[in-house]
Amino acid sequence: MSVEKNNDWPQLIASAQQGYHNAYAPYSKFQVGAAAMTEQGTIVSGCNVENASYGLTVCAERNCIAQAVIQGQQTFSSMVVYTEQEKLTPPCGACRQVIAEFFAPEAQVMAVNHLDNRKVWTVAELLPDAFTPKNLLEQ
């Protein structure tokens, strides 16, 4: 599916931008915002939250998903990751694994920046042959 065919992108981008402005990134100065559309049509946003003990930092994508789970929603149709970097920022490996847990393989993830550069991947493109709950259920 191309970017133009998803009517939710403008709302998701705006929510991801809002998340970006709430990011807590005093160490890296690398702010990230994310927003996801649940299957129920709710938009949930998140931001990265750093910690002086660097390993405890939580990415925007995982914060976004966690916010939705807290609200009782566990399935998603699309996600936007927003930064103000000239080079688009895709989800990190840990986030790709968490995305694969809650999004269908054909769900879309977009990276967008302040210059309105965009790239869209399916979850399967971001993490081919992902280990998912189906692997645990199949005997």
Side-chain angles (χ1 to χ4, degrees), residues 55-76:
L56 299 179
T57 294
V58 182
C59 297
E61 299 91 327
R62 287 181 281 145
N63 263 334
C64 177
I65 292 167
Q67 287 295 322
V69 172
I70 289 166
Q71 295 175 24
Q73 301 190 53
Q74 299 179 2
T75 55
F76 303 86

Side-chain angles (χ1 to χ4, degrees), residues 4-127:
E4 292 73 35
K5 291 185 181 177
N6 186 337
N7 294 329
D8 298 319
W9 289 132
Q11 292 175 286
L12 284 168
I13 292 168
S15 293
Q17 287 172 324
Q18 182 178 13
Y20 169 89
H21 291 293
N22 291 330
Y24 178 74
Y27 309 109
S28 71
K29 309 288 190 246
F30 191 85
Q31 293 175 254
V32 181
M37 176 70 72
T38 69
E39 289 290 341
Q40 293 80 18
T42 302
I43 295 177
V44 181
S45 63
C47 62
N48 57 320
V49 178
E50 293 183 347
N51 191 281
S53 177
Y54 297 140
L56 299 179
T57 294
V58 182
C59 297
E61 299 91 327
R62 287 181 281 145
N63 263 334
C64 177
I65 292 167
Q67 287 295 322
V69 172
I70 289 166
Q71 295 175 24
Q73 301 190 53
Q74 299 179 2
T75 55
F76 303 86
S77 60
S78 52
M79 175 180 270
V80 167
V81 180
Y82 177 85
T83 63
E84 292 193 356
Q85 305 295 314
E86 289 194 24
K87 185 174 181 184
L88 293 172
T89 305
C92 74
C95 288
R96 291 175 192 217
Q97 181 62 47
V98 174
I99 289 167
E101 179 84 11
F102 293 98
F103 288 67
E106 64 277 2
Q108 295 184 310
V109 177
M110 174 194 285
V112 63
N113 66 12
H114 62 297
L115 303 172
D116 204 31
N117 296 327
R118 303 175 183 200
K119 181 166 184 177
V120 176
W121 303 270
T122 64
V123 171
E125 290 170 331
L126 284 173
L127 190 63

